[in-house]
Amino acid sequence: GAINPNLAKELLADPGQAAAGEIEGLVTFGDLSLVSVDLDALLDYLYKPDTERALAFEFPGPVKAKAGDERAMVGYMIPLEYKPKSDDIVIFMLVRDLLGCCFGGTPMPDEWVDVIVAEGSRAEYRAYLPMRVTGVMTLGGEQDEAGFALGIYRMTATAVQPED
C-alpha cells in the first residue's frame, strides 16, 4: 500500500482525540497530562516514595477522577511480554505516539499506560495501528521486582481491539 504522507503527524497527535465523543468512558492522553504538576515531586513519588515531598504528592483532581472505573483509551501498543509459545500479549505499553517513544525519545511519565491483559482476555499485537483498550485504570507509583519504577498509569484490560 501507499505510504500515508501524514503518518508522522498523525502518530504525534493524541489518537484518542479523534474518537472523543464516540466512546463511552474515553480517557485521552491529554486528560492524563501532568504538565501542571511539580516534576520534582512526581519523580520523588516514583523513585523515592518515602521522602516528604513524595508523601505530599497528589495527582490533580481531573486525573484522579479517571481512576477506578472502567475506561477506554486509544493509543499504540508496545509489547513487553507475550504468553509462552503464543502471539498473545500479557503486558504492553499503550503510548500516545510511537515517534516520541521509540524513535529517539524517552516518554514522560504521563505519556504511557502500563496495560496488563486480564486473565481470560486476549490481546494481539498490531503494529502502527491505533488500538482501543478497555479496562479499569489505576494510578500507581509501583515498582517491579527489581525495584524500578513502573509507569504511573496502569490499566487491567478486558478488551483490546483495533480502533477503526
Side-chain angles (χ1 to χ4, degrees):
I3 291 179
N4 176 353
N6 293 316
L7 183 63
K9 197 168 76 189
E10 286 174 11
L11 291 180
L12 280 168
D14 183 344
Q17 294 293 4
E22 297 168 30
I23 300 175
E24 199 176 322
L26 180 75
V27 176
T28 66
F29 282 94
D31 293 334
L32 299 179
S33 172
L34 296 176
V35 72
S36 64
V37 163
D38 175 351
L39 187 61
D40 290 331
L42 173 62
L43 292 172
D44 279 3
Y45 171 78
L46 289 172
Y47 298 107
K48 303 179 198 159
D50 299 331
T51 60
E52 207 172 305
R53 195 160 52 180
L55 295 168
F57 175 80
E58 278 203 37
F59 285 95
V63 172
K64 273 201 271 197
K66 303 297 180 195
D69 295 325
E70 182 154 286
R71 302 287 182 188
M73 285 198 75
V74 178
Y76 299 94
M77 298 174 87
I78 298 176
L80 297 178
E81 187 181 319
Y82 287 87
K83 270 190 188 159
K85 300 180 184 141
S86 80
D87 292 333
D88 287 4
I89 298 172
V90 184
I91 301 172
F92 63 93
M93 287 170 70
L94 188 73
V95 297
R96 185 191 72 205
D97 69 90
L98 294 170
L99 296 177
C101 184
C102 310
F103 302 109
T106 303
M108 290 299 288
D110 60 356
E111 291 180 333
W112 88 88
V113 176
D114 287 317
V115 180
I116 294 147
V117 180
E119 198 68 44
S121 299
R122 290 191 65 217
E124 281 183 61
Y125 178 52
R126 305 284 177 89
Y128 310 113
L129 213 67
M131 301 296 284
R132 183 193 306 191
V133 180
T134 307
V136 175
M137 180 169 289
T138 51
L139 306 179
E142 297 178 45
Q143 280 143 355
D144 64 12
E145 295 83 22
F148 290 103
L150 299 170
I152 49 174
Y153 299 126
R154 171 133 342 136
M155 192 179 241
T156 303
T158 49
V160 179
Q161 70 230 40
E163 175 56 35
D164 39 32

